[in-house]
Amino acid sequence: EEIYLSHGSKLTPKELQDLFNAIGDSRGFHTLIKLYLDQCDMSDAGVRVVCAAIQQGKMPSLQWLDFTSNQDLGNESCLAISDAICSGCMPELKQLMIKKQQNER
């Protein structure tokens, strides 16, 4: 399964948390293979919410995780993603994209 929450969705950390809370332990994302969160105006806080859900075992089949083109991602995002990977909760992960969009001048 694939979920696209991308291209101008402007996801806040609260909206992401509400999504994961609504799914709860229903195993709703257990078959999720690709999660696209590109161009969502995400911040470090939003990435932390996604990574916390991963570490809670909500997306064990995830193979593709896309955070590209989110301007406000920084060191905290990289640390949260690293922690999620090292937790072993994404054993199937094959593709991670975190390329930051360059500011136009």
Side-chain angles (χ1 to χ4, degrees):
E1 294 182 41
E2 299 180 11
I3 294 181
Y4 293 85
L5 301 173
S6 56
H7 299 286
S9 298
K10 297 186 180 185
L11 296 172
T12 67
K14 182 184 180 326
E15 291 168 333
L16 288 165
Q17 188 64 60
D18 289 347
L19 172 67
F20 293 122
N21 286 344
I23 292 166
D25 295 326
S26 70
R27 303 177 71 85
F29 278 176
H30 276 223
T31 59
L32 182 65
I33 293 173
K34 295 184 178 182
L35 179 57
Y36 295 90
L37 295 163
D38 55 307
Q39 299 179 27
C40 295
D41 284 342
M42 286 184 68
S43 64
D44 289 332
V47 171
R48 283 194 309 270
V49 169
V50 173
C51 290
I54 290 168
Q55 289 178 292
Q56 293 167 5
K58 294 185 187 280
M59 296 174 260
S61 300
L62 198 62
Q63 295 178 18
W64 181 290
L65 183 55
D66 185 355
F67 288 113
T68 57
S69 299
N70 286 291
Q71 278 301 116
D72 294 328
L73 303 188
N75 292 340
E76 288 182 44
S77 292
C78 292
L79 182 59
I81 293 166
S82 175
D83 288 346
I85 291 170
C86 291
S87 74
C89 292
M90 292 187 292
E92 304 296 322
L93 188 67
K94 293 174 178 46
Q95 182 78 29
L96 171 63
M97 298 170 31
I98 54 175
K99 183 178 177 184
K100 190 173 182 178
Q101 180 181 4
Q102 297 296 317
N103 288 331
E104 294 184 26
R105 294 178 186 213

